[in-house]
Amino acid sequence: MRICLVSETWSPDINGVAHTLHQLSRELLQRDTTLQLVRPAPAGEAHRAEGMSAELQVRGFSMPGYRDVRLGLPADRRLKQFWQAERPDVIYVATEGPLGWSALRIAEALAIPVVSGWHTNFDHYCRDYGIGWLEPLVIRRLRHFHNRCSATLVPTHQQAGELTNRGFERVSVMARGIHGDAFSPAHRRPDLREHWGSDEHRPVALYVGRLAPEKNLDLLRDTFSAMLAARPEMRIVVVGDGPGRASLEKALPDVHFTGFIDARSLAQHYASADIFIFPSLSETWGNVVLEAMASGLAVVAYRHAAGSELIDDDVNGINLAVGDEDGFRDAAVALSQQPARYARLGRAARERALEYRWSAISDDFLAALYLAREASDENTQHCRV
C-alpha cells in the first residue's frame, strides 16, 4: 500500500500530532507500505523526513501563540502534480488547517480516498481563548470536513460517541501507543530526586505539558499549592514551557521548572517522580498520561480523553468527574499523604499502559486505510458498470 500522510506538524515538533505520526510512520515503514509526506516547509534549516519515498513541502506560516507550529498554505496545483506523478492508494489527513482542506479538495478531484484524524479539540480551544462564540461555527466547519472523508479516526470511545452525537459520520477509534522500554520505572534516578531536594521518603509530584490556557493551569496551580500546604516537605516538578510559565513560577516559587527537555531526560523525570497531576480538559488523548502510567506513576486526571480510557478509579490511578475541581484538588492532596496507595496505583498503571503497544495501534490504523481503499475500489467498479 502507498500511503500519503498530510500534516501541518512533524517531528521534531513537540506536540501530540507530531508524536503520533512519528510513531505510526516508524511502524509502517517496517511493513509492506510506501510512505509519502506532505507538510509545511520547516522554519530555519531545511531537512527531509526519514524513510519517505517522496515528500512535498509547501509554504507555511507560524501559528499565533505557537511559533514552533507552522500551518501550511493551500497548495492545490502542487498537490495535484505530486499525486499525479506518484498516486497514493489512500491519503491520511491529520490536521484540518489550510493545507488539510487543500489536500481534501485535490484528493476528491483525483478520486483518491481520504481518512482523517481527530487530533485536536479546536472547539475546546475556542472556550480556552475567550472566543467561545465561535465554537458552533468551528464545529460546523469540522463536521463538513470530516464527513467528506471515508473515515475519521479518534483516540477514544468517549470521543467517538460525542462526535457521532454531533452529526459526524463514519467515526472509528484508533488509540495511541507506548514503548514500554522507553518509558519505564527502570529509568528512575535517585540522584535526580536528590537534585530536586527529595529522597525515597519525600514524594515528588510531576506535571508534563505545554504551559498554556487550554491546559487548565489555574487548577494545576491551586492543586500544587494545596499539596504543598498539606505536605511542605514534598517536591513538585513542572516539565514544559509556554505563555503561562511566568505566572506559574511567580505563584509557585518552590516548584522546580525545567522548561522543555529531551526524550531521554523526560523518561528519567517521569520515572523519578511518584504522582502525576494532569488537570487538562483540552486533549483528544493526552500522550503524557500514558507515558506517566508506563513509568509507574499514580495519575490524577479527569474522566476525559486518556483519563477515561485508561484509568479505573482507585485501581490504576484516580480519575474525577469533569468539572469537579474541589474533588480533583482534594484527591491529589490525599494521595500525596498515602505512599502505599500511590505505589500500588503506579504498579497497576504500568500494567495497564503496556496493553497499548504501537504495533497494535498501527494495525488499527492500517485496517482503517485498507477499508477506505476497498470501498473506493468498489465505488469505482460500480461506476464503470
Side-chain angles (χ1 to χ4, degrees):
M1 177 182 276
R2 186 187 298 275
I3 302 167
C4 185
L5 306 173
V6 180
S7 176
E8 315 275 351
T9 180
W10 191 261
S11 179
D13 293 350
I14 301 175
N15 58 66
V17 182
H19 174 75
T20 297
L21 292 179
H22 177 67
Q23 299 299 334
L24 284 174
S25 64
R26 286 179 58 182
E27 291 287 337
L28 295 176
L29 288 170
Q30 297 176 22
R31 310 183 188 201
D32 188 21
T33 60
T34 301
L35 294 186
Q36 303 171 339
L37 175 63
V38 177
R39 60 164 172 160
E45 184 178 351
H47 57 84
R48 295 278 168 174
E50 294 182 6
M52 300 296 152
S53 68
E55 179 177 347
L56 173 64
Q57 295 185 0
V58 304
R59 293 174 58 196
F61 62 96
S62 295
M63 186 174 175
Y66 291 80
R67 287 188 298 175
D68 294 334
V69 176
R70 291 173 61 77
L71 296 180
L73 293 171
D76 291 29
R77 181 179 59 83
R78 295 188 65 197
L79 285 168
K80 186 175 182 180
Q81 293 173 344
F82 183 65
W83 288 331
Q84 284 179 329
E86 293 188 61
R87 181 185 177 91
D89 296 308
V90 63
I91 297 167
Y92 180 70
V93 178
T95 50
E96 308 95 330
L99 176 58
W101 281 88
S102 181
L104 180 59
R105 281 195 302 273
I106 299 307
E108 288 175 332
L110 297 176
I112 303 172
V114 175
V115 174
S116 59
W118 184 275
H119 291 268
T120 306
N121 286 327
F122 287 108
D123 53 327
H124 198 286
Y125 278 53
C126 291
R127 299 192 295 273
D128 291 325
Y129 284 88
I131 51 173
W133 55 273
L134 270 178
E135 182 179 349
L137 175 61
V138 169
I139 284 295
R140 284 199 298 272
R141 288 285 290 170
L142 290 173
R143 184 168 53 233
H144 178 58
F145 179 93
H146 287 280
N147 284 354
R148 289 164 62 181
C149 300
S150 299
T152 294
L153 304 181
V154 303
T156 69
H157 294 86
Q158 178 191 59
Q159 184 87 74
E162 291 174 355
L163 290 181
T164 299
N165 290 337
R166 300 176 88 167
F168 287 73
E169 301 168 355
R170 299 175 297 281
V171 179
S172 299
V173 176
M174 183 193 75
R176 305 294 185 255
I178 195 75
H179 292 293
D181 294 332
F183 294 96
S184 165
H187 299 301
R188 192 174 182 89
R189 285 181 47 192
D191 63 318
L192 185 56
R193 289 176 67 90
E194 183 179 350
H195 172 70
W196 296 332
S198 182
D199 53 32
E200 288 306 312
H201 304 291
R202 298 179 183 181
V204 175
L206 176 71
Y207 168 84
V208 176
R210 180 170 166 80
L211 302 179
E214 70 271 13
K215 301 299 185 179
N216 206 359
L217 296 185
D218 287 348
L219 181 55
L220 182 70
R221 176 200 62 215
D222 293 346
T223 300
F224 281 158
S225 295
M227 294 172 77
L228 287 170
R231 195 160 182 186
E233 77 279 11
M234 77 177 297
R235 296 294 181 260
I236 293 175
V237 180
V238 172
V239 175
D241 212 335
R245 177 174 175 175
S247 60
L248 268 184
E249 285 184 317
K250 184 177 180 180
L252 300 168
D254 296 324
V255 169
H256 186 84
F257 288 81
T258 72
F260 290 123
I261 57 179
D262 61 38
R264 181 170 177 268
S265 295
L266 178 60
Q268 293 170 349
H269 278 62
Y270 277 123
S272 300
D274 304 294
I275 300 170
F276 188 74
I277 305 298
F278 195 67
S280 178
L281 286 167
S282 64
E283 270 68 26
T284 57
W285 174 255
N287 289 312
V288 294
V289 171
L290 186 56
E291 291 167 356
M293 293 177 70
S295 302
L297 302 191
V299 176
V300 181
Y302 277 120
R303 207 166 296 132
H304 167 80
S308 68
E309 201 86 351
L310 301 174
I311 298 176
D312 295 320
D313 190 46
D314 206 31
V315 175
N316 54 18
I318 296 175
N319 60 13
L320 287 300
V322 172
D324 185 6
E325 294 192 354
D326 290 341
F328 187 100
R329 184 175 58 251
D330 292 345
V333 170
L335 186 62
S336 70
Q337 299 172 307
Q338 300 168 315
R341 184 181 179 213
Y342 62 64
R344 170 179 61 83
L345 294 177
R347 289 191 296 270
R350 176 162 174 81
E351 292 180 8
R352 175 65 167 153
L354 292 181
E355 298 174 12
Y356 287 76
R357 301 283 187 176
W358 274 114
S359 57
I361 305 304
S362 299
D363 289 341
D364 294 339
F365 181 71
L366 275 177
L369 269 57
Y370 274 115
L371 284 175
R373 186 179 70 172
E374 290 170 3
S376 177
D377 290 344
E378 289 176 3
N379 288 337
T380 301
Q381 292 174 3
H382 178 73
C383 291
R384 287 172 179 169
V385 172

